[in-house]
Structures are given as structure tokens and as C-alpha cells.
Amino acid sequence: MIRILLINLLFLLLPTVLYFAYVLLRRRSEPNAEILADAPIFWLLATGAASMLIALVVLGQWETGSTEGRYVPPQVKDGVVVPGHTE
């Protein structure tokens, strides 16, 4: 679950990070504190939300489990946890 959350945060914040890196590289000679005030925050967040939704759809299509067989839930046998699996 944490992996999914981190992937979504990555895709949400990626356009903003790329924008700030680009601006800092362009203004290397004269950095100022107005970078955040001049940033198109709405468009960066909209682009991040769109890329996050695309990532959710793509990863949802690739990470599907097998739908055939019978699922056997995790069990404890002889003091050892046997993970869930399909038969």
C-alpha cells in the first residue's frame, strides 16, 4: 500500500519538481525568492493530477493477478505462516 502511495505522490509532484529544477537552472546567475510566486501552481498540479491518473490506469492494467483457480488464504501450519496462493 505504501508503494502505491509513493508512486502516486511521485507522479503528482513530478511536473512541479521538473519545473522548479528548470527554473533554477535557467536563473542560476540571479536566483531570487520569487520562483514560487511566479510559478503556474494550478497548471503544475493539474498536470500532476493527470499524470497520476494515467499512472493509476496503466499500473492497474499491468498489475492484475490471476483470475483462474481457487484462492487459498494465508494459513499457519506447524508454526510457520504459509502465504496465500491460488490453486
Side-chain angles (χ1 to χ4, degrees), residues 47-65:
T47 306
S51 66
M52 184 180 70
L53 288 174
I54 291 169
L56 281 172
V57 169
V58 169
L59 292 175
Q61 291 296 318
W62 282 347
E63 294 188 8
T64 58

Side-chain angles (χ1 to χ4, degrees), residues 19-81:
Y19 172 79
F20 285 129
Y22 172 75
V23 169
L24 286 173
L25 286 174
R26 295 284 294 169
R27 296 183 184 178
R28 195 175 344 175
S29 61
E30 57 174 70
N32 61 21
E34 298 298 318
I35 294 174
L36 186 60
D38 295 340
I41 298 295
F42 173 77
W43 292 111
L44 292 172
L45 288 177
T47 306
S51 66
M52 184 180 70
L53 288 174
I54 291 169
L56 281 172
V57 169
V58 169
L59 292 175
Q61 291 296 318
W62 282 347
E63 294 188 8
T64 58
S66 174
T67 57
E68 298 178 4
R70 184 177 68 89
Y71 177 71
V72 179
Q75 302 173 13
V76 177
K77 289 186 180 178
D78 300 326
V80 178
V81 177

